Amino acid sequence: DQQVKQNSPSLSVQEGRISILNCDYTNSMFDYFLWYKKYPAEGPTFLISISSIKDKNEDGRFTVFLNKSAKHLSLHIVPSQPGDSAVYFCAASSNNDYKLSFGAGTTVTVRA
Amino acid sequence: DAGVTQSPTHLIKTRGQQVTLRCSPKSGHDTVSWYQQALGQGPQFIFQYYEEEERQRGNFPDRFSGHQFPNYSSELNVNALLLGDSALYLCASSMGLAGGAQYFGPGTRLLVL
């Protein structure tokens, strides 16, 4: 039962433009959401997170938006850079269940 | 500040064998979680260790077992290997059971022939 879904397997964006990655979840108990970035042959690297008490969190070029009513979150990367080319995973957890549930990932390619 | 380390990086086994993977958490972290990532999928939670006890377990059979040592390092053991156990095994560490971000190691790539 996939509780976290990333429906876009890939995204191609031009350098300098905005990358928008989307994630949907079904478990209403989720209250903490994270984005990870993964390069080949490396483990996932934590990027940014958001608690369910917020609807936006920003860290440099990365902003995560949370829409609880729609059970939807998104990651915005502005401006996109060639080094951002990687697989991005959305993950979620709940207050009484500390495991992370992951989506299948979105492969981002930033074109020069 | 050392991050999460895992060994070995790659491993090849045959069906029916047993394997042990090792993980050292990030400095200051005391909780270790293990995940299995199959090709083209996101990581799937196997189990989590805190204070040397298994605190939570995902939907994996008893062939998957683990251990946490007093220095917070951890092992993942898989018995009676199946072809379907071929995957990237990721270790993640965090502080306590309060939730929050987990920090991943580079993983161990296991191939079962």
Side-chain angles (χ1 to χ4, degrees), chain B residues 71-85:
Chain B
N71 67 352
Y72 309 123
S73 67
S74 176
E75 287 182 351
L76 163 65
N77 300 291
V78 187
N79 294 321
L81 284 167
L82 303 174
L83 297 180
D85 295 331

Side-chain angles (χ1 to χ4, degrees), chain A residues 40-54:
Chain A
E42 295 184 13
T45 301
F46 170 68
L47 270 180
I48 191 169
S49 63
I50 187 167
S51 164
S52 60
I53 62 174
K54 293 185 172 183

Side-chain angles (χ1 to χ4, degrees), chain A:
Chain A
D1 179 22
Q2 193 76 6
Q3 298 185 63
V4 178
K5 297 181 182 179
Q6 293 177 256
N7 292 319
S8 297
S10 63
L11 172 69
S12 181
V13 63
Q14 192 164 12
E15 182 179 1
R17 305 296 289 269
I18 183 172
S19 293
I20 299 177
L21 291 80
N22 294 302
C23 177
D24 297 296
Y25 61 96
T26 57
N27 188 341
S28 58
M29 298 300 292
F30 286 151
D31 60 3
Y32 189 69
F33 304 89
L34 311 91
W35 285 94
Y36 285 84
K37 172 181 176 180
K38 187 179 185 304
Y39 293 119
E42 295 184 13
T45 301
F46 170 68
L47 270 180
I48 191 169
S49 63
I50 187 167
S51 164
S52 60
I53 62 174
K54 293 185 172 183
D55 55 18
K56 176 183 175 181
N57 189 26
E58 189 172 356
D59 184 3
R61 297 187 297 115
F62 302 92
T63 302
V64 56
F65 296 91
L66 175 62
N67 182 334
K68 291 184 290 293
S69 60
K71 294 191 177 67
H72 177 84
L73 65 154
S74 61
L75 174 69
H76 292 205
I77 307 173
V78 184
S80 299
Q81 300 174 354
D84 296 331
S85 295
V87 180
Y88 289 78
F89 292 99
C90 170
S93 67
S94 62
N95 189 39
N96 59 354
D97 184 7
Y98 303 124
K99 73 172 189 270
L100 295 178
S101 296
F102 283 84
T106 296
T107 300
V108 172
T109 303
V110 180
R111 309 185 311 272

Side-chain angles (χ1 to χ4, degrees), chain B residues 5-6 13 15-16 20-22 24 31-33 39 44 47 53-54 59 69 77 89-90 98-99 101 104 107 109 113:
Chain B
T5 60
Q6 293 186 242
K13 293 285 188 179
R15 281 177 297 175
T20 297
L21 311 182
R22 296 177 176 82
S24 290
T31 303
V32 173
S33 302
L39 208 59
Q44 298 292 315
F47 41 54
E53 289 188 14
E54 182 183 294
N59 189 25
F69 299 94
N77 300 291
Y89 288 85
L90 294 162
F104 285 83
R109 174 72 64 183
L113 301 176

